[in-house]
Each structure stands twice: as C-alpha cells, then as structure tokens.
Amino acid sequence: NMPAQPKVEQTTYPDEYRLAPLPARVYTADQGRNHYKVTVVDYRDVPKMHASRNAQCIKEAGADKPGLTPQQRRDLIGDACQDETVKDVRGAMMWATWNIIERATKVTHLAHYNVDVIEGHEVHVINPDESRTYAAIHMYENRLYIVEATVPKNAPAANWFQISLRMLDENYKPVRYQYSGLMMYSNGYPKPPL
C-alpha cells in the first residue's frame, strides 16, 4: 500500500558474491516526512551467472584440459572454483537484512517473518539521523523483495506498509499458502498447499 503513485527506477543490486550487478527495480513514495520503498531484485539468472564464472575459473586454472584425472582437476582448482549458487540464492534474504543492519546505528527488532505464509525476515533499525526503518525481506520465485518504511524520530511506526505486500501468481491472483506443520513457502523448496 504505497501512500501515492510510486516513482519507479530501473537499477541494479549487488549480490553477496559479486557476480555482476543484478537487475532490480525500486519503487518509492513519500507521505509527509515518511519514506516508503520497495526494491525487487531478479535472482533468476544467478545460477547461469555462477556456472559461467565457474567455467571461466576452471579454464583459467587449466583444469579443463583433456586427459586430466579427477584428482588432477581437483589439485589444479583447489577451493578456487567453488559453486556458490545455492549460498547466493538461499542467502539473499540474509544479505539484504545485513545491508539494512549495516547502515543502522541500532537494531531494535530482528525476527523470522512471513507474509501470506511466505518466509521472510523482519528488521527494525534506528538510522544515524535517528529516523527509524521498518523492513521486511522476502524471497519469492527467485525474486528478492525488500520492503522499507522510514519515519522520523518519534513518529508512529509504519508497520502497516510491510504487511501490505502481496505476491501474485502468473494469473495476477494473490497467493496465500497454508501452514503445513512447520512448513511454509521457502524459495527453492517444495511449496506448501495454497
């Protein structure tokens, strides 16, 4: 629920492993001194980007030469050409959470979170100018969503903004999963029932 028609900016976002800047969109709107921002980062090509980087690393190490035994290849590569795809994609929410925490002077709340049973993180911080940011971070269908509301010192909390996030399916219908024991939607894992 943006308070006004958002300004939309095409930009990039650095992944944790610095593959290449990932395509992103930032939506912003203001209401008085309150600032609302949603950043959506496209992680869908990250596996291909890691595969390309790993192939180049193997080539540069000389481990792509025909006739090498598996042990010779391992000896040439060592730890240099590890595939970080899973850590990069699975760690995207933690990376975004860390980026919010790193720019703050104090963390006042940090928790596991969900919206419509889609896993996420919730973080509240006090910024250097004493404003407060209320954020939720989710990863859905290999897209990272960073939802932030920043309000001035002593202003009411803006938690309504982060809980207004809705994910849509391919038919533009809202998605809401069911709890299935402890299972909830977690990017890359089997989906619970809708």
Side-chain angles (χ1 to χ4, degrees), residues 14-65:
D15 73 301
E16 184 176 2
Y17 291 88
R18 304 296 196 269
L19 284 172
L22 302 177
R25 268 194 203 141
V26 178
Y27 302 82
T28 57
D30 294 317
Q31 183 178 45
R33 296 185 312 157
N34 294 357
H35 181 69
Y36 302 93
K37 178 179 176 183
V38 177
T39 304
V40 182
V41 185
D42 190 345
Y43 270 74
R44 291 176 297 174
D45 285 338
V46 166
K48 290 182 213 166
M49 294 165 77
H50 275 288
S52 176
R53 183 176 79 170
N54 295 341
Q56 184 63 33
C57 180
I58 290 166
K59 183 178 179 180
E60 288 172 3
D64 63 336
K65 295 177 184 163

Side-chain angles (χ1 to χ4, degrees), residues 2-18:
M2 287 279 188
Q5 185 65 32
K7 175 185 166 192
V8 182
E9 176 190 0
Q10 297 283 353
T11 187
T12 59
Y13 187 85
D15 73 301
E16 184 176 2
Y17 291 88
R18 304 296 196 269

Side-chain angles (χ1 to χ4, degrees), residues 121-185:
H121 295 167
E122 180 181 31
V123 61
H124 302 174
V125 298
I126 298 174
N127 301 306
D129 66 357
E130 296 188 344
S131 65
R132 290 172 295 140
T133 297
Y134 301 87
I137 300 99
H138 299 275
M139 188 75 158
Y140 185 71
E141 300 294 320
N142 289 328
R143 289 184 183 91
L144 178 68
Y145 296 84
I146 307 164
V147 181
E148 302 172 72
T150 301
V151 300
K153 180 181 180 180
N154 298 324
N159 298 39
W160 62 269
F161 184 64
Q162 66 200 38
I163 65 172
S164 70
L165 180 67
R166 297 298 309 267
M167 304 301 180
L168 304 177
D169 67 15
E170 60 279 351
N171 297 314
Y172 302 102
K173 292 184 180 177
V175 172
R176 180 171 173 81
Y177 292 96
Q178 296 177 30
Y179 284 105
S180 180
L182 294 176
M183 186 177 166
M184 61 174 48
Y185 177 94

